[in-house]
Amino acid sequence: GHNNLNAKLVLLGDMGAGKSSLVLRFVKGQFLEFQESTIGAAFFSQTLAVNDATVKFEIWDTAGQERYHSLAPMYYRGAAAAIIVYDITTPDSFTRAKKWVQELQKQGNPNMVMALAGNKADLEDKRQVTADEARVYAEENGLFFMETSAKTAANVNDIFYEIAKRLPRA
Ligand code: GTP
Ligand code: MG
């Protein structure tokens, strides 16, 4: 029906930040302590009911290793939404996340819904990026921000749900 929407969504972020783990949690409700590093990219789909509508996410889980950087435009081109993921225990991954945001601002779809995910929020004792720092950055750059944990599932469904709510309706 007219309340059904397909939305291409891409995950970007440094290797090891937890992109695949977030997707595995969202799509299958699972978590692997030894998740393998993604080669190229992986595709998943998952449907969410939001109010009176159904959003079918077509999810591209990209590879964070630097050697795959040049492939990224194939996955974010035409995407309705992006989740930029960093690891709250690794400042370099936050720096890398900001670079992805810049690239999307320059080359991405201007109406793209962008979410910043500070992942591994369960590792509070190893935290090196404060939530305040990330929240300020997100506000200044028009993203919405959540800290997530693929391990505990905290905020994982929520971030996809918030994206679904923000997608422009036809
Ligand atoms: P690439 O595919 O190389 O780009 O990495 P990725 O961003 O997909 O990271 P991946 O999901 O493979 O996770 C890397 C490691 O972090 C794995 O060992 C996961 O088990 C672990 N991990 C992912 N998310 C979390 C989390 O929320 N908490 C904790 N404690 N570990 C996590
Ligand atoms: Mg991966």
Side-chain angles (χ1 to χ4, degrees):
H2 67 285
N3 285 333
N4 295 342
L5 184 69
N6 283 22
K8 179 177 170 183
L9 180 150
V10 63
L11 287 102
L12 297 165
D14 210 354
M15 63 177 289
K19 299 175 295 298
S20 299
S21 298
L22 288 169
V23 175
L24 185 66
R25 173 60 77 189
F26 176 56
V27 172
K28 296 188 180 152
Q30 296 172 0
F31 175 76
L32 301 173
E33 287 287 346
F34 300 99
Q35 173 67 44
E36 282 183 31
S37 190
T38 304
I39 309 286
F43 179 80
F44 300 84
S45 77
Q46 177 68 300
T47 301
L48 264 189
V50 181
N51 303 327
D52 58 345
T54 300
V55 176
K56 184 184 179 193
F57 281 115
E58 296 162 347
I59 303 169
W60 285 102
D61 169 24
T62 66
Q65 291 181 52
E66 196 53 43
R67 67 178 124 144
Y68 297 114
H69 183 178
S70 62
L71 300 179
M74 289 203 299
Y75 301 107
Y76 64 67
R77 194 175 297 135
I83 304 178
I84 297 99
V85 184
Y86 68 94
D87 169 353
I88 69 157
T89 74
T90 309
D92 282 352
S93 74
F94 185 52
T95 302
R96 190 72 191 87
K98 293 188 223 173
K99 295 216 172 96
W100 279 119
V101 171
Q102 275 183 356
E103 180 167 338
L104 291 178
Q105 286 169 341
K106 277 194 207 142
Q107 333 247 33
N109 156 20
N111 304 317
M112 191 183 285
V113 176
M114 283 199 264
L116 180 66
N119 191 44
K120 309 197 187 180
D122 56 289
L123 299 178
E124 185 57 43
D125 54 334
K126 294 188 179 138
R127 174 191 292 275
Q128 296 203 53
V129 181
T130 68
D132 278 344
E133 180 182 5
R135 189 176 298 110
V136 167
Y137 173 78
E139 278 170 14
E140 287 173 354
N141 286 274
L143 293 82
F144 76 92
F145 168 66
M146 283 187 177
E147 288 195 340
T148 57
S149 170
K151 184 167 181 170
T152 69
N155 274 345
V156 177
N157 286 350
D158 312 65
I159 201 164
F160 285 92
Y161 190 81
E162 282 301 317
I163 289 169
K165 284 202 300 190
R166 285 168 161 82
L167 289 171
R169 294 295 187 273

